[in-house]
Amino acid sequence: MSDSEILFIIFVCLCGGYLLGRAHAFVINILNDCYNENSLSEIENHLKVIDNEIATIIGRVEKKS
């Protein structure tokens, strides 16, 4: 192999590694976004339950007054 072929192989390997790293980062960002959306929906569901409980308590207090 000549020096230019070896340099070309090294260049291709470096570019391929870079592209794989970027693809990995892209997929991780998408998965994190999906996880965050799921977490937010769970938090929203918990807040709705808490709001309903508070409304129930306020309703009971108003009936007693």
Side-chain angles (χ1 to χ4, degrees), residues 6-50:
I6 292 172
L7 288 175
F8 178 72
I9 291 171
I10 291 172
F11 178 75
V12 169
C13 289
L14 288 175
C15 289
Y18 175 77
L19 291 175
L20 284 174
R22 296 303 302 158
H24 178 261
F26 178 74
V27 170
I28 293 298
N29 283 335
I30 289 175
L31 292 177
N32 283 338
D33 289 344
C34 292
Y35 176 75
N36 288 339
E37 287 178 13
N38 290 339
S39 295
L40 288 177
S41 65
E42 289 179 19
I43 291 170
E44 289 173 354
N45 289 337
H46 290 300
L47 290 175
K48 287 178 185 177
V49 169
I50 292 169

